[in-house]
């Protein structure tokens, strides 16, 4: 669904802002749409990426054990080297496996382990000259790669979720400090609708340590807003 269609929907069906001079410019609504898509991916795993792009491919360097995980990656599902899965372990488990895991070198032909701390991926054994220039590939979920800056673009998340992004946009629209636009009750209501569809936001603390935990861990959401009354229909606005 193109950004232009989403903007037309929000202007005509919700904001009563279909004629110039607009209370919310196209540029303003595009910024809100960009943030809406990012917020949806913070709450739910919507963009799966197992490609060989910069977000999911790490180039190995001789003697370098630690590598950065790209900031737009939210979940590391699997790590692959030389067509084999890299085994994810905690530091404590690695200490039990080998006292020298931090200094062992040479990945080719060996069982390879990965320890993730925050957004750092540490590989054991450490790549040597033979491994240098090779790649470790990540199978991930991530945030959108690009901002939506044109009405001819469309969100990267699955199309079935595109229209629901308008609820975040409406939440932000009604926070505009102007007599004709500000409405805290509507802002809270549409945030509640957005959270109902995509889930509560994941806190920064949980996100920071998420990579270290098993994928099956159920993450606790951050408290984002006060309790909102239910049973309000869109058409009543």
């Amino acid at each position: 669904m193109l950004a232009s269609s989403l903007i037309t929907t929000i202007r005509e069906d919700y904001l009563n802002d279909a004629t110039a001079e607009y209370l919310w410019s196209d540029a303003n609504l595009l910024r809100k749409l960009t943030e809406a898509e990012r917020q949806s991916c913070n709450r739910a795993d919507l963009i799966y990426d197992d490609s060989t792009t910069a977000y999911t491919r790490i180039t190995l360097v001789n003697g370098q054990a630690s590598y950065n995980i790209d900031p737009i990656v939210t979940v590391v599902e699997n790590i692959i080297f030389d067509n084999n899965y890299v085994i994810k372990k905690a530091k404590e488990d690695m200490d039990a496996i080998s006292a020298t895991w931090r200094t062992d070198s040479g990945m080719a032909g060996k069982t390879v382990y990965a320890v993730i701390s925050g957004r750092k991926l540490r590989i054991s054994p450490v790549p040597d000259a033979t491994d240098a220039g090779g790649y470790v590939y990540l199978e991930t979920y991530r945030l959108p790669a690009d901002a939506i800056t044109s009405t001819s673009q469309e969100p990267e998340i699955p199309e079935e979720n595109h229209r629901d992004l308008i609820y975040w946009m409406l939440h932000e629209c009604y926070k505009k400090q102007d007599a004709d636009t500000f409405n805290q009750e509507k802002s809270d209501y549409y945030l509640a609708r957005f959270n109902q569809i995509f889930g509560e936001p994941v806190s920064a603390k949980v996100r920071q340590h998420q990579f270290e935990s098993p994928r099956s861990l159920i993450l606790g959401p951050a408290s984002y807003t006060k309790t909102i009354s239910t049973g309000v229909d869109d058409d009543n606005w």
Side-chain angles (χ1 to χ4, degrees):
M1 192 171 185
L2 292 178
S4 58
S5 297
L6 289 169
I7 288 176
T8 297
T9 297
I10 197 172
R11 286 196 189 282
E12 294 183 352
D13 297 349
Y14 293 88
L15 294 177
N16 191 26
D17 190 37
T19 58
E21 296 282 335
Y22 295 134
L23 293 172
W24 295 270
S25 67
D26 279 359
N28 182 281
L29 293 177
L30 287 171
R31 289 196 301 272
K32 288 173 171 48
L33 178 57
T34 293
E35 182 59 22
E37 187 178 26
R38 287 180 61 86
Q39 289 290 336
S40 72
C41 291
N42 173 272
R43 291 157 166 77
D45 298 332
L46 296 175
I47 301 177
Y48 180 75
D49 193 343
D50 62 353
S51 64
T52 58
T53 64
Y55 313 119
T56 57
R57 183 179 65 188
I58 294 173
T59 304
L60 299 173
V61 178
N62 182 22
Q64 180 176 325
S66 293
Y67 299 85
N68 293 324
I69 298 172
D70 195 277
I72 72 170
V73 172
T74 56
V75 174
V76 176
E77 284 270 286
N78 292 300
I79 307 169
I80 298 170
F81 171 71
D82 197 23
N83 293 319
N84 294 307
Y85 285 115
V86 173
I87 302 172
K88 292 183 283 186
K89 291 287 187 181
K91 290 180 182 179
E92 296 78 8
D93 295 332
M94 288 302 301
D95 289 337
I97 292 172
S98 172
T100 60
W101 69 271
R102 291 176 176 83
T103 56
D104 293 339
S105 64
M107 298 168 62
K110 299 178 183 178
T111 300
V112 179
Y113 297 93
V115 175
I116 301 177
S117 298
R119 287 192 170 273
K120 287 285 187 180
L121 174 70
R122 186 182 182 97
I123 297 172
S124 179
V126 180
D128 62 11
T130 301
D131 306 314
Y135 301 106
V136 164
Y137 297 97
L138 308 181
E139 295 177 347
T140 71
Y141 287 93
R142 60 171 174 79
L143 301 175
D146 300 303
I148 301 173
T149 57
S150 168
T151 56
S152 62
Q153 291 176 251
E154 62 180 0
E156 193 177 353
I157 64 172
E159 186 168 1
E160 64 190 273
N161 301 117
H162 286 186
R163 193 182 186 282
D164 294 325
L165 296 174
I166 66 175
Y167 295 125
W168 178 270
M169 298 169 69
L170 288 164
H171 159 61
E172 289 292 319
C173 284
Y174 285 116
K175 288 165 59 178
K176 183 178 179 180
Q177 299 296 308
D178 184 275
D180 295 324
T181 59
F182 180 76
N183 188 315
Q184 189 64 57
E185 186 179 2
K186 288 184 179 181
S187 178
D188 289 347
Y189 168 69
Y190 285 117
L191 174 60
R193 288 293 303 272
F194 185 84
N195 288 346
Q196 183 181 35
I197 294 165
F198 293 105
E200 298 286 338
V202 176
S203 72
K205 182 176 181 180
V206 169
R207 181 69 73 202
Q208 179 182 356
H209 299 292
Q210 177 175 343
F211 297 125
E212 304 171 26
S213 303
R215 184 66 181 89
S216 59
L217 178 67
I218 299 175
L219 302 178
S223 177
Y224 192 90
T225 185
K226 63 185 179 181
T227 302
I228 307 301
S229 61
T230 58
V232 182
D233 186 82
D234 283 350
D235 294 336
N236 293 334
W237 293 115

